[in-house]
Amino acid sequence: MKYQKIYLSAFLLGTFTFLSVGCESPKKSTETKETTVVTQRFLPFSDQENKGGWILNEEISDEFEGTEIDTTKWFVEGQNGDYYIWKGRAPSQYAPHNVVVENGNLILKTQWEPDYNFAKETYADGANKDTYGIHEGKPLPVTTAAIVSKKRFLNGYMEIKSKAPHAAMTAAFWAIGFEQELDMYEQLAVPKIAKEGSIDKHMNRTAIHDWSPPSTRPTKAFGFDEKLNYVTSEGFHVYGVEWGEDYLNIYRDGKFIHGFTQDELGTDWVLNNPMEIWVDSEIFKWLGVPHKEELPATFEAEYVRVWQKESDNLLAKASAFYGFEGPILFEENPKPLTMVPEDATANEYQKFWLFSEGSERYLKITEGHYASGVEALQFFGYGKNDSLNVEKVIAKTPEGSLKLPVGDYNLSMKVWLDQGRITDSIHVTLMNPKMELTFSGLKKLERKQWVTVEKKVSRQAASAVNDGMIIEIRKEDLPATKAAKLYIDDIEIKKAN
């Protein structure tokens, strides 16, 4: 049974209004004030008192009410002949008619369809060179289904209430983003081939994959297999994953199961960029293929929900970009259908930091030295027989990367300064309306540790459509020789008190 909205009470935190919601017994917040109520109907099954301060992301969450899938939220693989990234894992192929919303549930069907017009192509997946609809040279006309969220999000609590198909077909609740993949779960209730260490009917597999170059298999960075006391197709269960800035926690039926932290994993921590949700079913041929007699089979979900936490950082949605982890997203533009996680090509949907000519010798986004995530902007410095051979080095955001309303703000960044002759200033320009800021006095700061520097910003006019940010290190601020290296990370803008 789905959770029902029981009561509402609004409270104020900073400048944001939230809703406290109970899913069991009503209990008013002692912090209730006269404010505008913002509806939040559900809370994570493992945090019914909302100690985590979760806010439902309505753009991605879905209760699957009505009679058809909400295409404002979900891309349906194969709809109107369009496929995003792939057509499924051959020999099965995604077919849009297999996506059904019925009785308040999402139903992803797997069917035996000998008359279906399968794509006349192979899908190269490691050793898998099968053609769609063909397995080892013989017909295997299996169609299945997939949906993908149209929006991405950075950090949050992802939850699904679902049951796997009772067939040799997977149930998968997963997410991808730039150079990363998080399989919240992969399940297979009826494997035909038993392999030690692989998925069986009593297993819930969570896996994280690193798609940074070179993105060659195996890509798995870390994961956890949970042994269950039930078969995954026997009934509905609640599966949740909490994805934090530097941790990942796995929950099942409201109980904590296992966790990971970046402190343990170091640069294997790849979950640093916004992701989109996938719900799909496919064939894992190395564990067997479905028989005609066991189809049709259904992968069913009562809901998909994503919660996030409010932030006073106005760059929070793009904080991965302003932390130098990956691209900034322009979600008003469609995702290119061929854009895979390892794709570092700039397009209208994703764009990257830009470096001026001559800067590449001195300036680079570097992995392994960071305040958060795994990357930071590095100024390499130079030695005794060298000097800066350009007037300044520049890192620039794409136009439209900054959207600030009128108001007073604090712009901050974290810097790491090596010992030695360091520049005394870092220059930051907000592009339109133009405002130049100078972070000076760096020589007086502590060395070889992350230090936060901050400047006040007063905007008399809102950002123009081409607003952005420019970071400069200038020759005039540097020593003639032996310039020490420095790093910049975690740029934030917050409202001034």
Side-chain angles (χ1 to χ4, degrees), residues 313-320 322 401-402 404 469 491-493:
N313 176 18
L314 275 71
L315 303 180
K317 194 169 183 181
S319 59
Y322 284 100
S401 300
L402 197 60
L404 283 181
M469 185 181 297
I491 299 171
E492 295 186 344
I493 297 179

Side-chain angles (χ1 to χ4, degrees), residues 77-149:
E77 289 283 14
Q79 195 165 66
N80 302 317
D82 292 331
Y83 284 90
Y84 172 48
I85 299 181
W86 64 337
K87 295 179 173 67
R89 193 184 302 273
S92 59
Q93 182 176 332
Y94 298 141
H97 60 262
N98 287 331
V99 177
V100 176
V101 172
E102 190 174 270
N103 298 323
N105 283 4
L106 169 69
I107 299 172
L108 300 184
K109 294 183 178 180
T110 296
Q111 303 192 72
W112 189 272
E113 296 194 80
D115 295 330
Y116 186 75
N117 185 22
F118 286 89
K120 304 299 188 290
E121 60 188 73
T122 60
Y123 174 72
D125 174 22
N128 184 3
K129 301 295 190 295
D130 272 347
T131 301
Y132 291 106
I134 305 292
H135 176 54
E136 296 180 349
K138 297 179 181 180
L140 192 80
V142 175
T143 63
T144 185
I147 61 172
V148 188
S149 69

Side-chain angles (χ1 to χ4, degrees), residues 104-374:
N105 283 4
L106 169 69
I107 299 172
L108 300 184
K109 294 183 178 180
T110 296
Q111 303 192 72
W112 189 272
E113 296 194 80
D115 295 330
Y116 186 75
N117 185 22
F118 286 89
K120 304 299 188 290
E121 60 188 73
T122 60
Y123 174 72
D125 174 22
N128 184 3
K129 301 295 190 295
D130 272 347
T131 301
Y132 291 106
I134 305 292
H135 176 54
E136 296 180 349
K138 297 179 181 180
L140 192 80
V142 175
T143 63
T144 185
I147 61 172
V148 188
S149 69
K150 289 188 173 180
K151 294 288 187 179
R152 292 188 177 185
F153 66 99
L154 180 65
N155 302 131
Y157 196 114
M158 298 152 282
E159 188 175 278
I160 190 171
K161 187 175 184 181
S162 63
K163 69 174 180 176
H166 194 72
M169 296 296 299
T170 66
F173 176 48
W174 55 298
I176 60 170
F178 179 67
E179 297 186 348
Q180 67 196 53
E181 176 183 335
L182 167 57
D183 301 333
M184 279 78 79
Y185 74 56
E186 290 177 316
Q187 300 171 352
L188 184 58
V190 189
K192 296 292 196 305
I193 301 170
K195 286 190 176 182
E196 187 177 351
S198 198
I199 304 171
D200 64 35
K201 63 183 181 180
H202 293 293
M203 183 179 291
N204 189 57
R205 168 163 289 175
T206 301
I208 291 79
H209 296 268
D210 180 357
W211 288 104
S212 61
S215 54
T216 53
R217 297 175 187 275
T219 58
K220 184 177 177 181
F222 58 97
F224 181 76
D225 291 343
E226 182 196 2
K227 280 291 186 180
L228 307 171
N229 59 3
Y230 58 84
V231 176
T232 53
S233 62
E234 285 180 344
F236 286 90
H237 292 267
V238 178
Y239 303 92
V241 172
E242 182 183 349
W243 167 35
E245 182 183 285
D246 56 2
Y247 68 91
L248 190 76
N249 291 331
I250 303 168
Y251 296 86
R252 182 177 53 79
D253 292 328
K255 296 181 180 179
F256 173 78
I257 301 300
H258 190 78
F260 305 92
T261 68
Q262 186 177 7
D263 282 345
E264 301 171 81
L265 296 164
T267 54
D268 273 346
W269 179 258
V270 298
L271 302 176
N272 300 303
N273 281 284
M275 292 193 287
E276 65 207 16
I277 295 282
W278 288 62
V279 186
D280 77 349
S281 189
E282 58 187 358
I283 289 175
F284 281 2
K285 58 177 271 186
W286 58 93
L287 296 177
V289 298
H291 299 163
K292 178 181 179 181
E293 293 71 26
E294 63 186 330
L295 300 180
T298 59
F299 172 22
E300 300 181 42
E302 284 196 10
Y303 62 79
V304 169
R305 296 174 187 153
V306 174
W307 294 267
Q308 294 180 275
K309 297 182 179 182
E310 282 288 357
S311 172
D312 57 354
N313 176 18
L314 275 71
L315 303 180
K317 194 169 183 181
S319 59
F321 174 77
Y322 284 100
F324 303 98
E325 299 299 324
I328 188 168
L329 303 181
F330 290 80
E331 291 190 297
E332 64 273 20
N333 300 321
K335 285 175 282 196
L337 295 179
T338 58
M339 191 179 74
V340 293
E342 57 268 38
D343 191 344
T345 305
N347 52 54
E348 292 305 304
Y349 178 78
Q350 66 171 19
K351 298 183 181 183
F352 298 83
W353 283 91
L354 305 168
F355 296 89
S356 63
E357 185 177 354
S359 294
E360 64 279 356
R361 180 178 172 183
Y362 305 100
L363 213 56
K364 184 180 179 182
I365 295 175
T366 304
E367 182 182 77
H369 190 95
Y370 47 83
S372 68
V374 295

Side-chain angles (χ1 to χ4, degrees), residues 353-397:
W353 283 91
L354 305 168
F355 296 89
S356 63
E357 185 177 354
S359 294
E360 64 279 356
R361 180 178 172 183
Y362 305 100
L363 213 56
K364 184 180 179 182
I365 295 175
T366 304
E367 182 182 77
H369 190 95
Y370 47 83
S372 68
V374 295
E375 297 184 319
L377 179 66
Q378 180 180 359
F379 174 69
F380 284 91
Y382 43 83
K384 65 179 182 179
N385 296 318
D386 203 356
S387 61
L388 198 72
N389 60 5
V390 291
E391 289 305 308
K392 53 189 174 184
V393 292
I394 298 173
K396 179 182 177 182
T397 71

